[in-house]
Amino acid sequence: MTVFKARVKEFEDALAEDEIDLSYLRQLCFNGIPDVKSLRPHCWKLLLGYLGTNRESWKETLTKKRALYRQFIEELVLPPGLKEDHKLDAKSDCLNDHPLSEGAESAWNIFFNDNEFLLQIDKDVRRLCPDISFFQQPTEYPCDIVVNSNGERRLHQRVVPSVLKAANVERKGLGITKINLITKRSEETYEAMEEGQEAHWEVVQRILFLYAKLNPGQSYVQGMNEIIGPIYYVMASDPDPDYREHAEADCFFCFTALMAEMRDFFIKTLDDSEGGIKNMMKRLSQMLQERDLQIYERLKSQELHPQYYSFRWISLILSQEFPLPDVVRIWDSVFSDEQRFQFLLKICCAMILIQRDQILQNDFASNVKLLQNYPFMDVNVLLSKAVSL
């Protein structure tokens, strides 16, 4: 038996137990999850707390959660005046609510307020992982209540860019005035699918919209699209069609669980809290000072503060610094570590230390460019360095 096959068997045996030993599973996952069968999707669901360690509870949990998610779509992804029970309430709704209403409880007012963050979501998901075509491709399992709704539940249509008409007016002396009509439309990075189909980015858009609706205190913040991208990719690439069919619901709850742990990164008023982004950057700076004082002093003398490079590293869990397959591998280790954000800081510190010689030679501008556009490298070397810290 090869080493790889033996490793796969270790995972299969661990996941086959009636009561899964999460501590042992963490040890296995920390060194990378084999990209075969449904190992990674299953492990991530366990590591993020979506599934419990009792294997018998999985079926019930998944059935309940997926039904709940479908209910979210039915109730929250529908414009005012198109409620399921509109036949009963149409008359009273028209009398009590209308599109110009500014009341806090007005369904129309809520609808237009929702469109403000939906517009940002729409922009962000259309440029998700542009290096690969995955998110532009149609999903095998479009949501039936959305794609067969005559566009009523298609979120992107609520914020579709308008066609603007402009005209060039040319007139020479007392001659004929010439008007040239110009039609301008903002370019779409990712095209929306026709009725009956939807692209993966449209699914991600819906997940983020529902998350924002259900978490009004946090709502949607730019960068969340970069965090949900790898999770959805893993769930939607599950080789098992029975699980792949429910990738949207499973991704929603995994993303929600992860955001519960890192919500302080995305709430500005909590920036200075223990789990806030400013404190995380401060801890990274202290770690660097302890590990390599010369590098620390070099960056300090250049006034190259951590927020110039590590804000994005930490808040997006390095999802913008490496290709998607490498991000997935890094997340195997980050999710496996019980102090996952402490290990994330170690990875960030290792990224700086690996570029030590270059940083000591470079001037301020070159170091900013180096750290903001991190060079390609073997992530296994990076993770080994982080473990040694």
Side-chain angles (χ1 to χ4, degrees), residues 285 288-290 292-304 359-360:
S285 186
L288 180 62
Q289 184 179 15
E290 293 169 3
D292 194 322
L293 185 60
Q294 190 177 5
I295 286 286
Y296 171 81
E297 293 293 348
R298 176 66 173 173
L299 296 177
K300 186 179 178 181
S301 67
Q302 292 182 336
E303 296 186 357
L304 208 170
I359 291 171
L360 291 176

Short mmCIF file of all heavy atoms in Angstrom, two decimals, residues 285 288-290 292-304 359-360:
data_model
loop_
_atom_site.label_atom_id
_atom_site.label_comp_id
_atom_site.label_asym_id
_atom_site.label_seq_id
_atom_site.Cartn_x
_atom_site.Cartn_y
_atom_site.Cartn_z
N SER A 285 2.90 41.73 14.96
CA SER A 285 4.09 42.57 15.10
C SER A 285 4.94 42.12 16.28
O SER A 285 6.17 42.03 16.19
CB SER A 285 3.67 44.03 15.27
OG SER A 285 4.78 44.88 15.27
N LEU A 288 6.70 38.85 15.39
CA LEU A 288 7.85 39.11 14.53
C LEU A 288 9.03 39.66 15.33
O LEU A 288 10.18 39.27 15.12
CB LEU A 288 7.45 40.09 13.43
CG LEU A 288 8.54 40.46 12.42
CD1 LEU A 288 9.00 39.22 11.66
CD2 LEU A 288 8.05 41.54 11.46
N GLN A 289 8.72 40.54 16.28
CA GLN A 289 9.76 41.13 17.13
C GLN A 289 10.48 40.06 17.94
O GLN A 289 11.71 40.09 18.11
CB GLN A 289 9.14 42.17 18.05
CG GLN A 289 10.16 42.92 18.91
CD GLN A 289 9.51 43.96 19.80
OE1 GLN A 289 8.29 43.95 20.00
NE2 GLN A 289 10.31 44.86 20.34
N GLU A 290 9.72 39.08 18.44
CA GLU A 290 10.30 38.00 19.23
C GLU A 290 11.11 37.04 18.38
O GLU A 290 12.15 36.53 18.82
CB GLU A 290 9.18 37.23 19.94
CG GLU A 290 8.45 38.04 21.01
CD GLU A 290 7.18 37.33 21.49
OE1 GLU A 290 6.93 36.19 21.02
OE2 GLU A 290 6.45 37.90 22.32
N ASP A 292 12.46 37.61 15.14
CA ASP A 292 13.55 38.18 14.35
C ASP A 292 13.57 39.69 14.55
O ASP A 292 12.92 40.44 13.83
CB ASP A 292 13.38 37.84 12.87
CG ASP A 292 14.65 38.09 12.05
OD1 ASP A 292 15.33 39.10 12.33
OD2 ASP A 292 14.95 37.29 11.14
N LEU A 293 14.34 40.13 15.51
CA LEU A 293 14.38 41.54 15.87
C LEU A 293 14.91 42.41 14.73
O LEU A 293 14.46 43.54 14.53
CB LEU A 293 15.24 41.74 17.12
CG LEU A 293 15.29 43.16 17.70
CD1 LEU A 293 13.90 43.63 18.09
CD2 LEU A 293 16.23 43.21 18.90
N GLN A 294 15.85 41.87 13.95
CA GLN A 294 16.44 42.65 12.86
C GLN A 294 15.40 43.00 11.79
O GLN A 294 15.35 44.14 11.31
CB GLN A 294 17.61 41.89 12.24
CG GLN A 294 18.43 42.73 11.26
CD GLN A 294 19.63 41.98 10.70
OE1 GLN A 294 19.82 40.78 10.96
NE2 GLN A 294 20.46 42.66 9.92
N ILE A 295 14.60 42.00 11.43
CA ILE A 295 13.54 42.24 10.44
C ILE A 295 12.52 43.24 11.01
O ILE A 295 12.06 44.16 10.32
CB ILE A 295 12.82 40.93 10.06
CG1 ILE A 295 13.73 40.09 9.16
CG2 ILE A 295 11.51 41.20 9.34
CD1 ILE A 295 13.85 40.60 7.75
N TYR A 296 12.15 43.03 12.27
CA TYR A 296 11.20 43.91 12.93
C TYR A 296 11.69 45.36 12.90
O TYR A 296 10.94 46.28 12.55
CB TYR A 296 10.97 43.45 14.37
CG TYR A 296 10.16 44.40 15.22
CD1 TYR A 296 8.77 44.43 15.14
CD2 TYR A 296 10.80 45.31 16.09
CE1 TYR A 296 8.04 45.32 15.91
CE2 TYR A 296 10.07 46.20 16.85
CZ TYR A 296 8.69 46.20 16.77
OH TYR A 296 7.96 47.09 17.53
N GLU A 297 12.96 45.57 13.24
CA GLU A 297 13.53 46.92 13.28
C GLU A 297 13.63 47.51 11.87
O GLU A 297 13.46 48.72 11.68
CB GLU A 297 14.91 46.90 13.94
CG GLU A 297 14.90 46.56 15.43
CD GLU A 297 14.23 47.65 16.28
OE1 GLU A 297 13.99 48.76 15.75
OE2 GLU A 297 13.94 47.38 17.45
N ARG A 298 13.92 46.65 10.90
CA ARG A 298 14.00 47.12 9.51
C ARG A 298 12.66 47.67 9.04
O ARG A 298 12.59 48.78 8.48
CB ARG A 298 14.45 45.96 8.61
CG ARG A 298 14.49 46.28 7.12
CD ARG A 298 15.56 47.30 6.80
NE ARG A 298 15.71 47.48 5.36
CZ ARG A 298 16.48 48.42 4.82
NH1 ARG A 298 17.18 49.25 5.59
NH2 ARG A 298 16.59 48.52 3.50
N LEU A 299 11.59 46.92 9.26
CA LEU A 299 10.27 47.37 8.85
C LEU A 299 9.83 48.60 9.65
O LEU A 299 9.20 49.51 9.11
CB LEU A 299 9.25 46.24 9.02
CG LEU A 299 9.47 45.00 8.14
CD1 LEU A 299 8.42 43.93 8.46
CD2 LEU A 299 9.40 45.37 6.66
N LYS A 300 10.20 48.62 10.93
CA LYS A 300 9.85 49.76 11.79
C LYS A 300 10.57 51.02 11.32
O LYS A 300 9.96 52.11 11.26
CB LYS A 300 10.19 49.44 13.24
CG LYS A 300 9.74 50.52 14.23
CD LYS A 300 10.11 50.12 15.66
CE LYS A 300 9.69 51.22 16.64
NZ LYS A 300 10.05 50.86 18.05
N SER A 301 11.84 50.91 10.99
CA SER A 301 12.62 52.08 10.55
C SER A 301 12.09 52.63 9.22
O SER A 301 12.18 53.82 8.95
CB SER A 301 14.09 51.71 10.41
OG SER A 301 14.29 50.79 9.35
N GLN A 302 11.53 51.74 8.40
CA GLN A 302 10.94 52.17 7.12
C GLN A 302 9.49 52.64 7.29
O GLN A 302 8.86 53.05 6.31
CB GLN A 302 10.98 51.02 6.12
CG GLN A 302 12.38 50.64 5.67
CD GLN A 302 12.38 49.54 4.62
OE1 GLN A 302 11.44 48.74 4.51
NE2 GLN A 302 13.46 49.47 3.84
N GLU A 303 9.01 52.57 8.53
CA GLU A 303 7.60 52.92 8.84
C GLU A 303 6.64 52.10 7.97
O GLU A 303 5.61 52.59 7.52
CB GLU A 303 7.37 54.41 8.65
CG GLU A 303 8.17 55.27 9.62
CD GLU A 303 7.82 56.75 9.53
OE1 GLU A 303 6.98 57.12 8.68
OE2 GLU A 303 8.37 57.53 10.32
N LEU A 304 7.04 50.85 7.76
CA LEU A 304 6.18 49.93 7.02
C LEU A 304 5.32 49.19 8.05
O LEU A 304 5.66 48.12 8.53
CB LEU A 304 7.02 48.96 6.20
CG LEU A 304 6.39 48.40 4.92
CD1 LEU A 304 7.44 47.66 4.09
CD2 LEU A 304 5.23 47.49 5.21
N ILE A 359 13.87 41.54 2.24
CA ILE A 359 13.39 42.68 3.03
C ILE A 359 14.55 43.53 3.54
O ILE A 359 14.48 44.77 3.53
CB ILE A 359 12.51 42.18 4.20
CG1 ILE A 359 11.19 41.60 3.67
CG2 ILE A 359 12.21 43.32 5.19
CD1 ILE A 359 10.35 40.90 4.71
N LEU A 360 15.62 42.90 3.96
CA LEU A 360 16.77 43.64 4.49
C LEU A 360 17.48 44.46 3.40
O LEU A 360 18.10 45.48 3.68
CB LEU A 360 17.76 42.67 5.14
CG LEU A 360 17.29 42.00 6.45
CD1 LEU A 360 18.32 41.00 6.93
CD2 LEU A 360 17.01 43.05 7.53
#
